[in-house]
């Protein structure tokens, strides 16, 4: 067989396009298409297999195999050569198919007489729809040109499928973006929400995959690439001396925008008959398919850069901007690959939920979603390719599950869940003004965690008695430059106003680790959680900390002030930080500023070492707060950001509770007030255990105050303590089974 010429390819693509435009149902089109392809490729067989569900392929049309096998022959993902193409997303090209490893003989198709086999994935933006196969009797490998040409054809088929050209009867011919799909990701923020999809970056729709005039298409592509290059140069110029990370990304963009390989491949696609936008999308899809197989995070980032650049190029070519004119639904659930904290804050409380393809529990977006109390699911792979603006969507933040276009039965069950939560909230609301007094008469003070102004509207409704942890770094994280002292002072004053005279504990900057400021040079640290962070940065580079302390003093002016230093690992750090604050108070006094009415200076206990500090430390601290999130990660040596290990060790493990008890005893002997402000404080069962061990102040997300109060009011903390002791004496590894059984017996 002679090598394929470009003219032949273009002719085939044009005929495919015409068959799309022509009359007929999906099945008729498919039948026509396999005939066209077999004819053009000079093969005896051409078959199209499409997914009927994510794990099963179905033969949907064939020229050359037995017609009776259509819609009967099915293969599992990975089964046979067709299944292999579908699983790997890569072509299989062999002159002797039956000898190939994994070949699966399907007698109903009569295919044993065909020796050569070429299968390519039908995929669009890395999303696989099926497999396109040609076979012939002659035992020969297909040439690279033929493989390439068939990939281009498969790309056009994928676009046609996306436009609904093959819609017909049966699951394999179902209209795209119509079926219910469930995504299993991870919890970013608990809560349940129902709404409609709002895509942060709506997909560009390519309606003209095939073009008649390659020269004109190449000219369009080149013009668009030129505009892209200029816009990247502009971005670089605008970034000026911005932080290195941002410049690195832009430099990578520039490199790709000038990459000869990338542009040459797109021009080759055009030469075979694709339109400029289809060529961009084909290469974008290839990059996404490669992304799946790249474990190296650096390379993954670079492939993401190509993806972003391709999106920009598509927008330039199609004129479809970010704003496609669609109206935001009244109950929007934001769906995005990823999103920055400032962008998420812009959407604000309008959102019912957020679903991200990427993201991590500690990402800035997750922090903002938490502050806004919006259910968030992260790592919902491929949702941006599947979801369309306006699709119905259910977000189950508790379990990290998303139901897109759900069946009515699923939606009904979900609504029941939401109704139950609403009912529970109503019940909790009735407790709002009551104290968290246990049946034994002990009262636990329940306060809230905050970090953004967006948190504070929850203050009144939650029944919080104050703010036990104000994470000041969040204000820094969501800005692109260092805030000024006057801005900070005004903000802190507003926080105190919103807390209506109750106590607010301001924690000084805890940057470093997962919290990297956009304008701060990232430190290349192998273990950032144990690296140069929090008070370590504050003491080594005191400028920002000093400015922050001054802002706090100004904000308090005449009101009480509580300041807490994070991540104190040894007493010297606390003493130095405390001395800094005292110096700033002296300075403020000498400048004649109004001083705080009184000042409390505390430390966060987040490293096991501090629990063994000399008594003088506990006496010097006005209060201590256990940062359970960090303390637990260092106690168990399990990264709190790592999905693989972060749930592996339980807070109610006897060893951890014994450690907490040790801290309670150290504080008690020095008469130092102790609170707990990690996420565990907001989990009712954990909260009861912490209170039973003697902690009298728990700081948590506002939404947790109701459920925690509800449970504490129902129990006797002395009894809970006895259950913990009994489990320990019995040599149980964890208190959880015993405490859960005991709680089940409470009325
Ligand atoms: C903690 O470590 O428990 C804590 C409250 O601080 P953060 O989660 O901000 O590190
Ligand atoms: Mg911490």
């Amino acid at each position: 067989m002679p090598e394929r010429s470009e003219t032949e390819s273009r002719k085939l693509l044009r005929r495919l396009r015409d068959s799309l435009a022509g009359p007929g149902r999906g099945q008729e089109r498919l039948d026509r298409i396999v005939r066209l392809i077999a004819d053009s490729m000079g093969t005896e067989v051409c078959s199209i297999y499409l997914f009927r569900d994510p794990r099963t392929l179905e033969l949907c049309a064939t020229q050359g195999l037995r017609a009776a096998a259509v819609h009967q022959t099915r293969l599992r993902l990975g089964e046979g050569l067709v299944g292999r193409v579908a699983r790997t997303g890569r072509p299989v090209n062999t002159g002797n198919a039956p000898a190939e490893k994994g070949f699966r003989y399907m007698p109903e198709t009569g295919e044993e007489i065909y020796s050569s086999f070429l299968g390519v994935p039908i995929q669009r933006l890395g999303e696989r729809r099926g497999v396109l196969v040609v076979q012939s009797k002659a035992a020969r490998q297909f040439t690279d040109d033929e493989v390439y040409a068939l990939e281009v054809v498969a790309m056009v088929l994928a676009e046609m499928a996306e436009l609904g050209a093959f819609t017909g009867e049966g699951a394999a011919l179902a209209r795209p973006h119509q079926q219910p799909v469930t995504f299993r990701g991870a919890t970013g923020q608990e809560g349940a929400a129902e709404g409609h999809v709002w895509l942060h970056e709506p997909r560009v729709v390519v309606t003209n995959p095939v073009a008649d005039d390659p020269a004109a298409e190449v000219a369009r592509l080149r013009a668009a690439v030129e505009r892209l290059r200029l816009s990247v140069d502009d971005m670089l110029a605008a970034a000026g001396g911005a932080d290195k990370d941002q410049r690195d990304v832009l430099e990578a963009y520039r490199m790709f925008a000038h990459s000869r390989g990338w542009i040459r491949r797109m021009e080759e696609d055009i030469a075979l008959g694709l339109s400029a936008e289809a060529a961009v999308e084909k290469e974008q899809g290839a990059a996404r398919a490669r992304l799946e197989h790249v474990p190296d995070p650096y390379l993954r980032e670079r492939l993401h850069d190509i993806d972003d650049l391709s999106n920009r190029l598509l927008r330039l070519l199609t004129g479809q901007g970010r704003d496609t004119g669609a109206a935001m639904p009244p109950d929007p659930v934001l769906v995005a690959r990823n999103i920055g904290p400032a962008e998420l804050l812009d959407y604000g409380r309008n959102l019912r939920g957020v679903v991200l393809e990427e993201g991590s529990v500690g990402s800035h977006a997750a922090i903002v979603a938490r502050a806004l109390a919006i259910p968030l699911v992260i790592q919902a792979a491929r949702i941006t390719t599947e979801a369309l603006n306006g699709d119905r969507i259910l977000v189950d933040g508790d379990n990290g599950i998303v139901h897109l276009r759900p069946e009515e039965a699923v939606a009904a069950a979900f609504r029941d869940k939401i109704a139950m939560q609403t009912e529970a909230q109503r019940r909790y609301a009735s407790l709002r003004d009551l104290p968290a007094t246990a049946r034994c008469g002990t009262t636990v003070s329940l306060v809230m965690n905050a970090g953004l102004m967006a948190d504070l509207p929850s203050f009144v409704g939650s029944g919080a008695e104050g703010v036990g942890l104000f994470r000041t770094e969040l204000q820094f994280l969501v800005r692109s430059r260092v805030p000024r002292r006057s801005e900070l002072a005004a903000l802190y004053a507003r926080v105190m106003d919103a807390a209506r005279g109750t106590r607010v504990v301001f924690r000084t900057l805890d940057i470093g680790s997962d919290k990297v400021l956009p304008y701060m040079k990232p430190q290349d640290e192998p273990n950032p959680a144990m690296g140069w962070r929090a008070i370590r940065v504050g003491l080594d580079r005191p400028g920002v900390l000093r400015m922050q302390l001054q802002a706090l003093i100004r904000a308090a002016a005449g009101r009480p002030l509580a300041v807490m230093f994070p991540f104190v690992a040894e007493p010297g750090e606390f003493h130095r930080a405390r001395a800094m604050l005292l110096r700033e108070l002296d300075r403020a006094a000498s400048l004649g500023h109004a001083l705080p009415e009184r000042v409390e200076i505390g430390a966060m206990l987040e490293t096991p070492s501090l629990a063994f500090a000399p008594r003088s430390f506990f006496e010097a601290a006005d209060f201590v707060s256990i940062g359970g999130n960090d303390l637990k990660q260092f106690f168990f040596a399990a990264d709190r950001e790592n999905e693989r290990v972060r749930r592996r060790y339980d807070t109610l493990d006897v060893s951890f509770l014994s450690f907490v008890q040790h801290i309670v005893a150290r504080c008690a002997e020095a008469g130092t007030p102790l609170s707990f402000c990690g996420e565990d404080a907001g989990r009712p069962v954990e909260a009861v255990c912490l209170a039973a061990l003697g902690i009298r102040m728990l700081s948590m997300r506002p939404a947790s105050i109701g459920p925690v109060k509800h449970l504490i009011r129902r129990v006797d903390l002395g009894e809970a303590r006895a259950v913990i002791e009994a489990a320990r004496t019995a040599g149980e590894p964890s208190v959880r089974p015993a405490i859960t059984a005991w709680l089940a017996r409470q009325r």
Side-chain angles (χ1 to χ4, degrees), residues 431 433-446 465 708-717:
L431 300 177
D433 300 321
L434 299 176
T437 304
R439 292 230 302 260
C440 52
T442 305
T443 298
V444 183
S445 171
L446 303 184
E465 295 164 43
V708 167
K709 190 187 285 184
H710 179 66
L711 192 60
I712 288 182
R713 287 175 58 89
R714 284 171 55 209
V715 300
D716 180 311
L717 293 175

Side-chain angles (χ1 to χ4, degrees), residues 89-105:
R90 297 197 181 129
V92 169
N93 177 12
T94 169
N96 187 0
E100 196 69 18
K101 191 163 165 273
F103 175 80
R104 165 131 149 36
Y105 168 55

Side-chain angles (χ1 to χ4, degrees), residues 469 471 507 510 515 604 606 627-630 640 677-678:
L469 167 66
R471 291 178 163 107
R507 172 176 80 182
D510 182 3
K515 298 159 188 152
M604 278 189 88
E606 306 184 86
N629 306 335
D630 273 312
R640 63 191 262 195
C677 63

Side-chain angles (χ1 to χ4, degrees), residues 113-128:
I113 52 171
Y114 301 105
S115 181
S116 50
F117 173 103
L118 170 58
V120 298
I122 301 176
Q123 62 186 350
R124 180 182 172 277
L125 297 180
E127 183 195 19
R128 270 158 230 152

